[in-house]
Amino acid sequence: MIDLTPTVMAPALPRAARRSLFSRLLRNPVGLATMLFLTLLVLSAIFAPLLAPHDPNSSSIQDVLGGPADGHPLGFDSSGRDVFSRLIFAGRFSLAGAALALLIALVIGVTGGLIAGYYGKWFDSVSSWLTGLLMALPGIVVLLAARSVLGPSMWLSMMIFGVLLSPAFFRLVYASVTAVRNELYVDAARVAGLGDTRIIGKHILTVVRAPVIIQSAMVLGIAIAIQAGLDFLGLGDQSIPTWGTMLNDGFRQIYKEPLLILWPSVVIALTCVALTLLANTMRDLLERSGKAKARRRPPLRPADVNKTAAVFHAEDLSSSGRTGEVLLDVRDLAIGYDQPDGTVKTVVHDVSLTVRRGEVHGLIGESGSGKTQTAWSILRLLPDGGRVTGGAIFFEGKDLALASEKEMTKIRGKKIAYIPQEPMSNLDSAFTIGSQLVEPMRVCLGISKKEATQRALKLLARVGIPNPERTFAAYPHEVSGGMAQRVLIAGAVSCDPDLLIADEPTTALDVTVQAEVLDLLRELQSELNMGVVLVTHNFGVVADLCDRVSVMRDGRVIETGPVRAIFTQAKHPYTQSLLAAILEDGEARGDLDEGNSGRAAAAALATPSISDTIGAQS
Amino acid sequence: MFRFILRRLLSGIVLLLLISTIAFSLLYIGGGDIARRILGQMATPETVAQKSEQLGLNRPLYEQYFDWLSGAVRGDLGSSWFTGQLVTEGITSRLAVTLSIVIGAIILIAVVAVALGVWAAIRGGWADKVVQAVSILGFAIPGFLIALGLVTLFALNLKWFKPTGYTAFADSPTGWAASVTLPIIALAIGGIAGVAQQVRGSVVDALRQDYVRTLRSRGLSFNRVVFKHVLRNAGGPALAVLAVQFVGLLGGAVIVEQIFAIPGLGQVSVQATTQGDIPMVMGLVVATAAIVVIVNLLIDLLQGWLNPKVRLS
């Protein structure tokens, strides 16, 4: 799965994109409102002497705690100073203090991150220790300690706080730089003869710019809050008005004049909320542009194959003797995904397939052909937003497309089981292998823990695990991929299912292990007489295991029939091209004619894989 | 597992040593100026020198530090320059008060944030939007403003609680509960916001994992998979955030204690800071760092228990 981490985008954000981010910010209602508020705040701080009607520090005894009066819209504080004027001037000092902290944090964090990320590995451990050091103490405790030595200077406190905040930038820049450092285009720049400083300036700074701007907004908010906190505690410089000192004064007078504390509180809260909202909005906008980019990756191609073009081959009577009643009957299945804009994008169209008891039905096609989606829909375990939008999935006479989640829970495991593609990610790393086998058996079969344990050990032995007890007690990361896949197979058959959905069960394994796992699957299938839907992109696997095969492309079945018919008389040009791709060497054909079923072709085809021609996994 | 614990313990001790060295040098580097500051500008050079000698400030810095350190390992952090009280005594007598509100806040955060985060992640849609919006507000508004708001609303206007003061648990459990309720809520709100976001994110991530589909394919219900497997896997990142929150709470407690007039470490810190009581400040710094190291160790152990893979790294 491709994980785009949008805030740290690998390719450099072009200049145009940044400009559009700013203009998009202005077009976003929240972005516009916060930008407007912050701009006004900064302007009022800059032009405080022009805006404030009075001197913020001139006090008059007769006005102490006086209410709003002419020219004094917010009244007077405990020293008889004009609250409105103080509020405006306080903005000046509070914002300047926070800006100083931000500046220090930026200078230390960004330079340190650039140097560490670009040049040194040793820096890694040193910096993680330094970060640990700075994280081990609450900022306010450090500031209190500093205050006890340095005295009540807001500027000094804010410089120290800037140092404390620098890891926020350091880690961000460091992570971005190490990600970019080894990118090809940076290598190319170096080969082209660009100096390190040019490379840092041109390629790396463009990458970190957006995240740093976002982080800056957050850091400003934090600095404003802590500065107000210090002054509120009465530890700040009482001679300059700040929002914190006003809070302190208001808190002392909270019984006499509760409104005094309201004004600075409102301003601080609004400023911090505006900064956080601004950062969030910017991040959202960037993520959205990241997603837009992702969506431009090759989507499922719109169906260019006509529904009626599907080729149906007649039943192969010679092999029908070994198959029982119809287990699964999928008719005209359609699967769609809800899109953010409210539409539904259909990824699988009109798929029909049947599986009889004891029959293996191969589902073959390239990546994105819809075969895995079809498999998941039978289990009704489609990813978020995906659902069956048309057709029916009849299993034992019941339409699973309409079944409730509760009914499906009863069917899963016991009636229909599933073997996934990637062994490691399909085991929960927090639980032992044994507990992941025992838990479902206890739920599905209603047996005791002891019985389930016995059964699990037997199953592990059955799927060819040399030391079942040890594997039972092991955690998933302690076993190999091949072992893990055997464990998953054991889990799938643990409740005697009638139908097995195997989604490329060997793709993620080594070639030698693949053959063993296929053998195991074949044995278990005939032992338990299961019907199997086998999703694969490998015609060798089809020839080895399947009785019947459906070729999928662009979300549709284009050709379906008994394996032998497909191998010998493929009608659809796409199927023919697939077969041609694996049979280039051309000697295998003879064997097929002698064998009764497709399985005989296995030996001849050795391990042919069409993955090279039609893309690896889906 | 044993080596895992040992390694974490050792790095914790090294961290404490580093912090104490740095803090000591920065606090005591003033040397003679410290005595001058205590005695005021009017003191004669002789009395300043006398004071310096009395407090041992005229000796080389490394000698003072080793004295302090050898005392510290024996549990002696010196005594206050102003009250003569033993620093360890000053701290331990207040520690329980601060820890009781901080731990109360952590528990409240864990419970509420997990509930909100899981709800937002699973319900999606409007529930998700509400939790996100509340989280942003809770994160953005400084904790002490929330505390002030709570005092004004619930203590001054509604009179449900006493606005200030602290009742010891030993004196009256119900009185204690009433006196810490508002401080704990005030401390917790910011943390709830941060942790709920993290829980939401990690539950969403964990739900996308392949093993969720596989476990459900074996017949386990969605809820069972969520509450047993998804939560345990999402717990790791959430715990990491909780550890960071704890450090923040210790800091927040300083201000919240001041607002509610609670006699905890915060009060001692503010007092020692304004007086310039260096031994007390030094003791507080080291005690805070020690608490953080211990809590981080506990969180690491919990991480190792939650996900055995962590023990390898």
Side-chain angles (χ1 to χ4, degrees):
Chain A
M1 222 192 274
I2 305 139
D3 185 31
L4 275 180
T5 347
T7 38
V8 187
M9 279 160 299
L13 206 62
R15 204 158 270 278
R18 186 177 65 116
R19 220 178 294 133
S20 78
L21 172 70
F22 184 70
S23 62
R24 266 185 298 163
L25 202 58
L26 290 184
R27 257 179 275 139
N28 178 299
V30 180
L32 182 66
T34 52
M35 292 283 279
L36 212 61
F37 175 79
L38 293 169
T39 313
L40 283 177
L41 198 68
V42 170
L43 287 179
S44 79
I46 294 173
F47 297 110
L50 298 176
L51 290 170
H54 303 278
D55 183 334
N57 286 323
S58 81
S59 53
S60 65
I61 296 175
Q62 66 265 41
D63 288 328
V64 167
L65 295 181
D70 201 23
H72 301 273
L74 302 179
F76 300 87
D77 70 1
S78 66
S79 308
R81 296 172 292 199
D82 179 48
V83 172
F84 182 66
S85 303
R86 278 182 76 75
L87 210 52
I88 291 177
F89 269 96
R92 215 176 199 197
F93 290 102
S94 296
L95 290 179
L100 178 66
L102 172 67
L103 186 73
I104 301 278
L106 269 176
V107 168
I108 298 178
V110 174
T111 8
L114 282 177
I115 294 170
Y118 197 74
Y119 292 112
K121 254 191 176 160
W122 59 271
F123 223 97
D124 210 3
S125 52
V126 172
S127 67
S128 79
W129 265 100
L130 273 178
T131 318
L133 210 64
L134 289 176
M135 300 269 286
L137 282 173
I140 195 134
V141 170
V142 177
L143 291 178
L144 286 181
R147 169 33 175 103
S148 68
V149 193
L150 299 171
S153 162
M154 179 185 81
W155 308 111
L156 280 177
S157 311
M158 284 295 101
M159 283 169 81
I160 293 169
F161 195 57
V163 176
L164 295 183
L165 285 171
S166 59
F169 292 105
F170 178 87
R171 268 176 297 176
L172 189 71
V173 174
Y174 180 78
S176 309
V177 174
T178 39
V180 174
R181 186 177 49 193
N182 301 320
E183 287 282 340
L184 284 177
Y185 64 88
V186 172
D187 281 344
R190 201 173 291 134
V191 171
L194 280 183
D196 282 349
T197 28
R198 286 283 305 278
I199 294 176
I200 290 179
K202 205 173 154 79
H203 293 282
I204 292 179
L205 279 181
T206 38
V207 177
V208 298
R209 190 171 48 208
V212 163
I213 293 174
I214 293 172
Q215 190 83 304
S216 296
M218 307 289 267
V219 161
L220 265 184
I222 296 170
I224 286 175
I226 199 110
Q227 199 265 325
L230 270 182
D231 285 348
F232 170 71
L233 287 175
L235 298 173
D237 186 348
Q238 299 295 325
S239 67
I240 54 171
T242 65
W243 293 331
T245 47
M246 295 184 71
L247 272 182
N248 178 294
D249 184 56
F251 186 59
R252 286 167 203 249
Q253 312 300 335
I254 196 162
Y255 288 101
K256 288 190 209 150
E257 196 51 70
L259 271 183
L260 270 187
I261 201 165
L262 181 69
W263 307 119
S265 303
V266 168
V267 177
I268 296 170
L270 280 179
T271 311
C272 292
V273 169
L275 284 166
T276 313
L277 281 179
L278 183 67
N280 257 42
T281 314
M282 280 195 280
R283 183 173 302 147
D284 283 353
L285 289 175
L286 279 179
E287 275 181 18
R288 221 169 289 158
S289 65
K291 270 183 200 148
K293 234 175 265 162
R295 226 176 282 135
R296 255 177 271 134
R297 291 169 164 280
L300 290 176
R301 262 168 288 156
D304 51 0
V305 194
N306 195 319
K307 177 185 167 188
T308 50
V311 181
F312 291 90
H313 290 267
E315 285 298 319
D316 186 344
L317 292 170
S318 59
S319 71
S320 63
R322 45 180 295 285
T323 54
E325 83 277 9
V326 173
L327 264 181
L328 178 76
D329 185 7
V330 176
R331 282 188 211 157
D332 304 323
L333 176 73
I335 299 169
Y337 278 81
D338 298 326
Q339 300 297 306
D341 56 8
T343 58
V344 176
K345 186 172 146 195
T346 306
V347 297
V348 167
H349 316 256
D350 306 313
V351 164
S352 297
L353 51 97
T354 57
V355 180
R356 291 165 182 275
R357 188 179 289 282
E359 180 185 52
V360 181
H361 191 138
L363 215 51
I364 191 164
E366 62 186 278
S367 308
S369 61
K371 52 196 197 306
T372 297
Q373 299 295 326
T374 307
W376 285 345
S377 73
I378 297 168
L379 287 152
R380 282 268 308 276
L381 288 176
L382 287 165
D384 259 358
R387 57 197 161 85
V388 175
T389 52
I393 304 166
F394 287 108
F395 177 78
E396 293 185 335
K398 181 187 273 177
D399 184 1
L400 300 185
L402 303 174
S404 70
E405 181 55 33
K406 213 170 165 185
E407 287 171 302
M408 283 311 298
T409 304
K410 277 189 191 138
I411 289 170
R412 287 184 208 125
K414 215 168 175 178
K415 303 265 185 186
I416 306 180
Y418 166 70
I419 301 173
Q421 177 181 143
E422 174 64 48
M424 278 315 179
S425 67
N426 277 287
L427 288 165
D428 182 349
S429 63
F431 289 84
T432 61
I433 285 172
S435 77
Q436 291 179 61
L437 289 173
V438 166
E439 191 192 358
M441 276 195 272
R442 293 190 60 193
V443 171
C444 286
L445 305 174
I447 55 180
S448 74
K449 193 173 178 181
K450 210 174 139 194
E451 278 176 280
T453 305
Q454 288 305 321
R455 205 180 148 96
L457 287 171
K458 256 184 236 159
L459 276 166
L460 287 175
R462 173 65 195 87
V463 295
I465 283 172
N467 190 340
E469 279 84 7
R470 204 173 71 199
T471 306
F472 185 89
Y475 283 97
H477 62 267
E478 294 167 335
V479 302
S480 70
M483 284 296 141
Q485 189 61 292
R486 284 170 197 271
V487 169
L488 286 164
I489 292 174
V493 300
S494 65
C495 300
D496 278 333
D498 298 311
L499 179 68
L500 186 64
I501 314 279
D503 183 9
E504 308 213 24
T506 57
T507 305
L509 304 176
D510 288 343
V511 177
T512 43
V513 185
Q514 281 185 6
E516 290 168 27
V517 168
L518 285 178
D519 284 341
L520 173 65
L521 273 178
R522 184 187 309 118
E523 286 164 27
L524 285 172
Q525 185 266 329
S526 62
E527 237 171 72
L528 301 167
N529 200 25
M530 293 180 290
V532 177
V533 174
L534 182 72
V535 175
T536 182
H537 61 255
N538 187 327
F539 255 120
V541 173
V542 170
D544 192 357
L545 279 180
C546 299
D547 303 295
R548 177 180 287 281
V549 62
S550 295
V551 183
M552 285 191 75
R553 188 189 190 189
D554 298 329
R556 292 175 195 275
V557 171
I558 55 162
E559 185 156 10
T560 185
V563 163
R564 195 165 171 227
I566 299 281
F567 269 84
T568 53
Q569 307 146 31
K571 296 261 168 35
H572 198 285
Y574 179 67
T575 316
Q576 286 169 346
S577 71
L578 286 185
L579 285 167
I582 55 158
L583 298 174
E584 265 163 6
D585 302 307
E587 18 174 300
R589 271 227 153 108
D591 283 351
L592 244 174
D593 293 334
E594 289 159 31
N596 238 353
S597 80
R599 293 173 188 210
L605 288 171
T607 50
S609 168
I610 52 169
S611 58
D612 300 338
T613 36
I614 59 170
Q617 312 131 352
S618 60
Chain B
M1 190 67 191
F2 178 71
R3 288 190 51 190
F4 171 74
I5 300 172
L6 201 71
R7 215 164 44 222
R8 294 296 152 106
L9 198 64
L10 272 177
S11 78
I13 291 171
V14 173
L15 194 68
L16 265 184
L17 264 176
L18 261 174
I19 287 178
S20 74
T21 318
I22 296 171
F24 195 92
S25 4
L26 293 179
L27 286 173
Y28 283 84
I29 203 151
D33 293 348
I34 300 177
R36 156 78 57 198
R37 219 169 36 233
I38 299 170
L39 296 171
Q41 292 305 317
M42 304 305 286
T44 60
E46 290 82 56
T47 46
V48 169
Q50 204 187 341
K51 188 80 184 169
S52 265
E53 193 167 337
Q54 182 200 337
L55 297 174
L57 293 171
N58 51 352
R59 292 179 300 151
L61 196 62
Y62 67 88
E63 215 180 293
Q64 294 183 52
Y65 175 63
F66 281 115
D67 264 10
W68 179 88
L69 191 65
S70 62
V73 290
R74 280 179 280 118
D76 174 17
L77 294 171
S79 49
S80 160
W81 285 347
F82 292 88
T83 60
Q85 188 191 26
L86 285 176
V87 171
T88 37
E89 200 186 290
I91 290 173
T92 44
S93 63
R94 310 292 189 98
L95 188 64
V97 178
T98 298
L99 281 188
S100 72
I101 60 169
V102 169
I103 290 172
I106 275 283
I107 293 171
L108 188 65
I109 289 173
V111 172
V112 178
V114 167
L116 280 181
V118 171
W119 185 57
I122 288 174
R123 275 298 298 267
W126 64 271
D128 196 13
K129 290 209 175 80
V130 168
V131 171
Q132 299 256 38
V134 171
S135 292
I136 290 174
L137 283 184
F139 171 82
I141 300 176
F144 61 92
L145 285 187
I146 294 173
L148 286 174
L150 289 175
V151 171
T152 318
L153 182 61
F154 292 106
L156 298 181
N157 288 327
L158 296 173
K159 305 207 188 304
W160 289 358
F161 298 95
K162 272 197 301 177
T164 56
Y166 177 79
T167 312
F169 186 81
D171 294 344
S172 152
T174 49
W176 171 81
S179 67
V180 296
T181 305
L182 284 184
I184 284 178
I185 294 175
L187 263 185
I189 286 181
I192 289 173
V195 180
Q197 283 275 38
Q198 179 63 52
V199 171
R200 177 199 165 272
S202 31
V203 168
V204 167
D205 276 352
L207 277 174
R208 287 200 198 115
Q209 297 300 309
D210 287 341
Y211 63 78
V212 171
R213 187 186 310 112
T214 301
L215 285 167
R216 289 183 67 195
S217 81
R218 304 247 181 97
L220 299 183
S221 69
F222 180 71
N223 284 343
R224 196 181 169 111
V225 175
V226 166
F227 284 103
K228 189 160 174 184
H229 296 268
V230 169
L231 263 192
R232 184 148 174 179
N233 279 279
L239 268 181
V241 178
L242 213 57
V244 176
Q245 289 290 341
F246 182 84
V247 182
L249 289 183
L250 279 178
V254 173
I255 300 182
V256 166
E257 281 176 13
Q258 209 67 13
I259 292 173
F260 291 96
I262 291 172
L265 287 181
Q267 267 191 359
V268 194
S269 316
V270 173
Q271 200 185 351
T273 300
T274 11
Q275 288 175 329
D277 194 347
I278 308 280
M280 192 58 106
V281 172
M282 179 70 199
L284 284 163
V285 166
V286 173
T288 313
I291 296 173
V292 172
V293 164
I294 291 170
V295 167
N296 279 334
L297 190 70
L298 288 178
I299 298 248
D300 279 344
L301 289 180
L302 217 54
Q303 295 270 30
W305 172 76
L306 269 182
N307 196 337
K309 227 171 159 176
V310 176
R311 290 176 215 156
L312 295 177
S313 54

